[in-house]
Amino acid sequence: MEHDSPRESPSRGDSSLPGEWHSSDVGQAFSQILHRLTGQEFPRGKARNAALQDLSALIDATEGDKLFEGSGTSLRGMPEMLGQVAKAVEKYAAPPKEHEGRSDRHSAVAEKAAAVGVLFLKLLRKVEAAKNSLVYPAWKTGLRHLAGPIYIFAVTHSLEQPWTSPRSQTVAGEVLTLLLQVTECGSVAGFLHGENEDEKGKFTVIMGLLKPDLNKESWKNNPATKHVFSWTLQQVTRPWLNQHLERILPPSLLISDDYQTENKILGVDCLHHIVLNVPAADLLQYNRAEVLYHALFNHLYMPEHHLIQAVLLCLLDLFPILEKALHWKGDAARPTTHCDEVLQLILTHMEPEHRLLLRRTYARNLPAFVKRLGILTVRHMKRLERVILGYLEVYDGPEEEARLKILETLKLLMQYTWPRVSCRLVVLLKALLKLICDVARDPNLTPEPVKSALLEEATDCLILLDHCSQGQVKSLLAKILQSCEDSKVANCIRKVQQVSEGTPCDAT
């Protein structure tokens, strides 16, 4: 049975003129509506929809001073009540659990969100009007309680998600815009961290509101919570983020540790933002950087190319921080680093990998690892050689991304480890010539610009190989040129021979 009596709906059953409302009546009416929105004894359907309609009518009928100040209560009484009502209304429009999220449920959520958005717009306009009145402290206090729930609602429904519609996104976007206008903030970032040094931002408040829904047991109850957390986190950068590290690191690790790949990626993106925007000293304190490293390293065993890409980018930015804690004495061998450990695992995975998307992902990031290790890449020389030779043999599709990146890796490898290259002259020369011949004779599989790029990169590798072998490549290619009938292959060989004699390349 629905509890919807005239006593509980003063804006409908006891429809009084706005001027006849007393402040105590307003407070009591808000209290009753809050009870109807949150009470377990009330059904979730029509009664709560009616409560929302009553709330909208009550806001329309109440003047700004009575709405924020109240009577017979402390100055904080009415603003706190408004904050509680805003929280309840935001929860009313929240999407269902992920396993309950059918399309019909999502359309119902979008309709609720549009209605709630209109209500929040009314409330914010009341705040805007109250700013010009004499109740300055009251509207300030009211806005402080309203800003958090309204922000969470706006972000939940303004991003494109399964539970949003064009209408709900538009209304939520208007709510966010008006919220920034009322709070006199020029951007979401300013709203969160404060527009100036003296002003405290709302980031702590937002994280406090999200915290109950970001623990191990509850974070999947509302599928929007993780997106609101992630999007909000991305808005705050240096130098404001480090003071919130204790609030943001545990949820980011929790989301990244989920079994669903999309959640893993979302969590890794949050961790990457933390790595980029928190000082190294704070990350090294309490071994936080090591915790991050091990959480990321474990993801490398997952055969998901989007996840691998996100993890490798994050690790590459984490390595400089981890290496600050290493102390090397010149009279001893350099210790192996976390970068060594990751590269070893990547090469282990690359050798037998046959899935093109994963091959491209690994190859795309390999040059960055060689640059990071520099001359220390020599530790991985044998395995790198096997990977390079194997990947150069395999056609990678029209864009040839993997082979282009492997050629870039080979160039860097020869620059950093040139003394070790001459003993590998024969195998590298054969692999490069085979690649040039295969590309030159490819009838139609590869676009001409990609062919040109491959031939150019392979030629550059031959030139570097010639430098590293004190001109041996030129003498060997001279014999081939005499019998070569393919013009593209011949042009590549001529470019190598035309390069003037040089010393062994030392780019370290």
Side-chain angles (χ1 to χ4, degrees):
M1 179 178 177
E2 294 183 5
H3 298 258
D4 195 10
S5 65
R7 183 179 178 185
E8 293 167 344
S9 308
S11 62
R12 297 170 68 185
D14 298 338
S15 56
S16 304
L17 295 173
E20 297 175 356
W21 280 93
H22 297 290
S23 298
S24 58
D25 295 335
V26 173
Q28 185 180 7
F30 272 108
S31 179
Q32 290 174 354
I33 290 173
L34 177 62
H35 182 58
R36 291 163 62 195
L37 287 169
T38 59
Q40 296 298 322
E41 67 271 21
F42 292 98
R44 290 181 174 270
K46 294 182 180 178
R48 296 193 177 184
N49 293 340
L52 195 70
Q53 294 172 11
D54 293 344
L55 178 60
S56 179
L58 180 60
I59 293 172
D60 286 334
T62 308
E63 296 178 4
D65 55 345
K66 295 178 182 177
L67 189 62
F68 296 108
E69 200 167 34
S71 175
T73 62
S74 67
L75 185 63
R76 297 188 306 166
M78 198 58 200
E80 287 179 353
M81 176 64 70
L82 282 173
Q84 292 298 321
V85 170
K87 286 181 189 177
V89 171
E90 184 271 319
K91 295 292 183 187
Y92 168 81
K97 289 184 180 181
E98 292 182 0
H99 64 273
E100 299 174 356
R102 303 188 305 272
S103 58
D104 55 336
R105 295 286 299 274
H106 286 157
S107 61
V109 170
E111 291 176 10
K112 289 181 182 179
V116 169
V118 171
L119 188 148
F120 279 146
L121 286 172
K122 290 181 181 181
L123 201 51
L124 287 171
R125 291 188 184 109
K126 289 282 185 178
V127 178
E128 185 75 12
K131 288 168 67 175
N132 302 318
S133 70
L134 300 177
V135 290
Y136 177 82
W139 76 259
K140 272 278 189 181
T141 309
L143 183 58
R144 188 162 61 245
H145 289 281
L146 290 171
I150 293 178
Y151 170 86
I152 291 173
F153 164 82
V155 176
T156 297
H157 298 281
S158 60
L159 306 175
E160 185 175 354
Q161 297 292 349
W163 56 84
T164 61
S165 67
R167 166 68 177 157
S168 65
Q169 285 181 260
T170 301
V171 174
E174 292 173 1
V175 170
L176 185 58
T177 301
L178 186 55
L179 176 62
L180 296 179
Q181 177 184 324
V182 171
T183 54
E184 299 177 353
C185 295
S187 64
V188 174
F191 172 81
L192 293 170
H193 60 63
E195 289 286 339
N196 52 64
E197 295 181 0
D198 300 329
E199 184 182 350
K200 190 176 181 181
K202 303 295 189 298
F203 189 80
T204 303
V205 174
I206 304 300
M207 290 298 112
L209 291 171
L210 293 176
K211 185 176 180 179
D213 295 326
L214 280 175
N215 58 57
K216 190 174 182 180
E217 289 74 29
S218 65
W219 75 279
K220 287 196 173 183
N221 290 344
N222 182 349
T225 302
K226 61 190 178 186
H227 296 289
V228 175
F229 170 79
S230 174
W231 192 84
T232 301
L233 174 63
Q234 303 281 341
Q235 309 307 309
V236 182
T237 56
R238 291 176 183 262
W240 299 280
L241 195 61
N242 64 306
Q243 59 187 297
H244 305 289
L245 187 55
E246 293 296 333
R247 296 184 183 91
I248 60 177
L249 186 55
S252 300
L253 289 168
L254 176 65
I255 296 171
S256 73
D257 195 38
D258 190 49
Y259 70 92
Q260 291 180 298
T261 301
E262 63 177 273
N263 290 336
K264 288 179 183 289
I265 296 172
L266 189 67
V268 170
D269 288 342
C270 291
L271 294 175
H272 195 182
H273 185 76
I274 291 171
V275 169
L276 292 173
N277 290 283
V278 173
D282 291 312
L283 290 176
L284 291 171
Q285 192 176 26
Y286 306 124
N287 239 18
R288 292 187 185 109
E290 284 290 340
V291 172
L292 282 171
Y293 170 73
H294 288 293
L296 293 166
F297 186 82
N298 290 336
H299 291 315
L300 293 175
Y301 291 96
M302 295 291 296
E304 299 287 346
H305 67 280
H306 288 306
L307 176 61
I308 296 294
Q309 177 66 28
V311 169
L312 292 179
L313 290 177
C314 185
L315 282 170
L316 285 166
D317 287 319
L318 183 61
F319 289 146
I321 296 170
L322 291 165
E323 289 171 13
K324 287 181 181 292
L326 297 178
H327 300 286
W328 173 57
K329 297 180 180 179
D331 56 349
R334 292 194 192 186
T336 57
T337 63
H338 298 85
C339 188
D340 285 299
E341 187 178 14
V342 173
L343 180 57
Q344 184 177 1
L345 181 63
I346 290 174
L347 294 174
T348 301
H349 289 168
M350 287 183 76
E351 281 192 73
E353 187 55 64
H354 63 278
R355 287 161 289 195
L356 287 179
L357 292 175
L358 276 170
R359 287 169 65 91
R360 289 169 190 161
T361 301
Y362 288 131
R364 187 183 305 128
N365 293 280
L366 203 53
F369 279 86
V370 176
K371 287 180 183 177
R372 181 75 211 157
L373 287 173
I375 195 172
L376 295 180
T377 312
V378 74
R379 295 168 173 169
H380 310 274
M381 196 74 170
K382 289 183 179 179
R383 185 167 284 180
L384 268 169
E385 179 188 336
R386 293 199 300 269
V387 167
I388 289 171
L389 295 177
Y391 275 57
L392 287 180
E393 289 181 355
V394 180
Y395 173 72
D396 183 49
E399 299 302 320
E400 290 281 17
E401 182 183 0
R403 289 209 280 195
L404 284 169
K405 285 299 179 180
I406 288 296
L407 287 170
E408 182 183 344
T409 302
L410 178 57
K411 285 167 63 176
L412 290 168
L413 185 65
M414 289 191 289
Q415 290 171 358
Y416 286 118
T417 64
W418 60 266
R420 299 288 184 91
V421 172
S422 57
C423 62
R424 294 171 169 82
L425 169 63
V426 176
V427 292
L428 292 176
L429 181 57
K430 284 183 179 179
L432 289 169
L433 287 175
K434 183 178 185 302
L435 173 65
I436 290 173
C437 291
D438 289 344
V439 172
R441 294 169 183 173
D442 179 12
N444 51 21
L445 292 176
T446 308
E448 283 302 320
V450 178
K451 283 185 182 180
S452 300
L454 278 171
L455 293 174
E456 184 178 349
E457 288 292 311
T459 303
D460 290 344
C461 286
L462 286 174
I463 294 170
L464 276 171
L465 186 60
D466 182 66
H467 286 320
C468 295
S469 61
Q470 289 80 40
Q472 293 183 55
V473 172
K474 285 183 181 178
S475 59
L476 293 171
L477 291 180
K479 302 174 184 177
I480 297 175
L481 188 59
Q482 297 172 1
S483 59
C484 181
E485 297 179 357
D486 191 290
S487 60
K488 290 183 179 179
V489 177
N491 285 336
C492 292
I493 294 175
R494 288 193 189 97
K495 285 181 183 178
V496 177
Q497 290 189 317
Q498 287 169 3
V499 174
S500 59
E501 295 287 338
T503 58
C505 54
D506 185 358
T508 57

